[in-house]
């Protein structure tokens, strides 16, 4: 699909194109992007819930969200398919440090993802449907950070996580009782989503920040070991802007061969460049990001 070709926009109305241009222009102002949360909070206070909804729904919300119900989502997906694009449903939920919620919220997120699996499988958007999954929508980011520290010192065996997914009571080295209970609940959530999607919908697990990615990969690899026996139904994401991406991918390939499962891989540029660099500078670490696009090809 080439955007220089006017036919790429044939499924868009003039109003939709003008809206897209307007939102794109707004997103080009750093002051708006960096303070969008505060601005939205002020707007909600001044306009009220109804006024805020009337302003946002037909503009920013409509630009980035496929729809509010299955019918609207189907229409958006069918438009993409008609252009030769491969649509992928995503539940845009993730957490960072300090944003953890309770098990009920994580369970609600799981139900939303299960609904994504159902819609992706039951609609004819494409022959090989996919969906996106964020680990921190189902597992506390604080625990992800702790797990990252723990497995750097003493790697967890994938079989341990697989047994936990199967409902077996296991002991996780380095975790206290509360942390272990939450991790067990989270692994069961991942298991439910994987069971619902295997042989139906490919689940592409997103990478997030470097200070928690090892834990995310650990969980994803455990899902792969259990469910990627006859095909790559669970995929992990590798951020090519990271200097360590090549070695991480080679390690994953070696692990999949040794453990006997299919490795699912999604390669992306990466979306957290600015924060990763600022954090590395603040902590006195080397910049984990490649200096240029050409460096990612080495």
């Amino acid at each position: 699909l080439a955007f220089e070709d006017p036919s790429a926009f044939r499924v868009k109305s003039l109003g939709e194109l003008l809206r897209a241009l307007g939102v794109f222009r707004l997103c080009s102002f750093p002051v708006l992007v960096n303070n969008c949360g505060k601005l939205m909070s002020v707007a909600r206070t001044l306009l009220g819930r109804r006024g805020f909804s009337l302003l946002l729904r037909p503009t920013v919300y409509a630009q980035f969200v496929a729809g509010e119900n299955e019918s609207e989502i189907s229409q958006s997906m069918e438009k993409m398919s008609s252009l030769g694009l491969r649509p992928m449903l995503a539940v845009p939920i993730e957490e960072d440090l300090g944003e953890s919620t309770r098990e009920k919220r994580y369970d609600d997120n799981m139900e939303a993802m299960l609904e994504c699996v159902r819609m992706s499988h039951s609609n004819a958007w494409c022959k090989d449907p996919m969906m996106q999954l964020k680990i921190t929508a189902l597992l506390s980011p604080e625990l992800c950070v702790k797990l990252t520290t723990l497995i750097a010192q003493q790697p967890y065996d994938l079989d341990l996580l697989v047994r936990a997914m199967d409902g077996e009571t296991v002991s996780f080295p380095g975790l206290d009782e509360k942390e272990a209970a939450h991790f067990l609940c989270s692994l069961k959530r991942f298991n439910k989503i994987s069971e619902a999607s295997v042989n139906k919908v490919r689940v592409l697990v997103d990478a997030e920040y470097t200070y928690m990615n090892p834990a995310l990969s650990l969980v994803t690899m455990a899902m792969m070991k259990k469910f990627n026996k006859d095909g790559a139904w669970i995929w992990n994401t590798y951020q090519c802007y990271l200097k360590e991406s090549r070695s991480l991918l080679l390690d994953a390939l070696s692990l999949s061969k040794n453990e006997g499962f299919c490795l699912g891989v999604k390669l992306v540029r990466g979306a957290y460049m600015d924060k990763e660099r600022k954090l590395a500078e603040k902590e006195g670490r080397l910049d984990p990001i490649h200096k240029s696009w050409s460096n990612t090809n080495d």
Side-chain angles (χ1 to χ4, degrees):
L1 183 65
F3 290 103
E4 294 81 5
D5 181 359
S7 65
F9 303 98
R10 67 178 182 272
V11 298
K12 295 291 185 180
S13 67
L14 177 60
E16 288 175 321
L17 291 174
L18 291 174
R19 181 193 67 204
L21 179 61
V23 172
F24 178 74
R25 293 296 188 191
L26 287 174
C27 291
S28 67
F29 294 102
V31 66
L32 294 179
V33 175
N34 295 333
N35 296 283
C36 62
K38 295 178 182 178
L39 292 172
M40 290 175 68
S41 179
V42 171
R44 188 181 290 110
T45 301
L46 295 176
L47 300 175
R49 184 173 181 177
R50 180 175 174 78
F52 181 76
S53 178
L54 290 173
L55 174 66
L56 267 291
R57 281 188 182 279
T59 54
V60 178
Y61 182 88
Q63 179 63 32
F64 294 109
V65 180
E68 294 188 59
N69 52 54
E70 187 167 351
S71 176
E72 292 181 1
I73 292 172
S74 294
Q75 291 177 23
S76 298
M77 294 301 195
E78 287 167 3
K79 286 181 179 180
M80 294 179 67
S81 295
S82 70
L83 293 172
L85 298 174
R86 189 175 179 182
M88 177 175 67
L89 280 182
V91 180
I93 305 170
E94 65 179 297
E95 292 181 353
D96 198 0
L97 295 175
E99 300 174 351
S100 296
T101 52
R102 297 181 180 180
E103 295 294 344
K104 175 63 168 60
R105 178 64 180 273
Y106 292 127
D107 285 340
D108 290 343
N109 292 345
M110 178 191 69
E111 293 300 328
M113 292 180 183
L114 288 172
E115 180 64 9
C116 270
V117 172
R118 186 196 65 77
M119 282 194 288
S120 298
H121 178 60
S122 62
N123 288 276
W125 300 323
C126 63
K127 295 181 180 179
D128 192 12
M130 303 180 297
M131 65 165 282
Q132 178 199 59
L133 183 147
K134 292 273 191 181
I135 293 289
T136 56
L138 305 170
L139 173 63
S140 158
E142 282 79 13
L143 185 53
C144 289
V145 172
K146 182 168 183 176
L147 284 168
T148 294
T149 301
L150 289 174
I151 61 179
Q153 302 166 353
Q154 180 184 352
Y156 279 14
D157 191 321
L158 293 184
D159 286 328
L160 182 69
L161 276 70
V162 171
R163 285 161 48 203
M165 287 181 184
D166 288 333
E168 185 177 334
T169 301
V170 299
S171 175
F172 299 107
L175 300 186
D176 61 32
E177 185 177 347
K178 184 177 180 180
E179 291 168 336
H182 171 58
F183 193 30
L184 182 59
C185 287
S186 297
L187 289 172
K188 290 179 179 178
R189 284 188 280 266
F190 294 122
N191 189 69
K192 285 184 179 180
I193 294 171
S194 299
E195 283 183 336
S197 62
V198 71
N199 296 322
K200 298 177 183 177
V201 179
R202 300 190 191 278
V203 176
L204 280 57
V205 180
D206 256 9
E208 299 182 42
Y209 297 104
T210 51
Y211 50 77
M212 64 175 74
N213 275 345
L216 310 190
S217 291
L218 171 70
V219 172
T220 307
M221 287 296 180
M223 294 163 67
M224 285 192 202
K225 178 165 185 180
K226 182 174 181 183
F227 295 100
N228 282 12
K229 295 297 184 182
D230 301 315
W233 293 100
I234 310 296
W235 296 16
N236 198 18
T237 299
Y238 296 88
Q239 299 155 309
C240 292
Y241 68 2
L242 294 177
K243 295 174 182 177
E244 64 176 358
S245 60
R246 180 181 176 84
S247 62
L248 291 175
L249 185 54
L250 291 175
D251 288 345
L253 183 59
S254 176
L255 179 63
S256 67
K257 289 181 178 179
N258 293 335
E259 297 284 350
F261 61 83
C262 298
L263 180 66
V265 173
K266 181 178 75 167
L267 297 178
V268 300
R269 185 202 72 159
Y272 307 103
M273 187 180 299
D274 290 340
K275 182 169 181 177
E276 291 285 8
R277 281 181 164 154
K278 289 177 181 177
L279 186 62
E281 183 179 3
K282 180 181 178 181
E283 296 178 350
R285 295 184 285 108
L286 292 175
D287 186 352
I289 310 296
H290 281 296
K291 290 184 178 180
S292 66
W293 170 80
S294 59
N295 291 143
T296 68
N297 297 325
D298 294 337

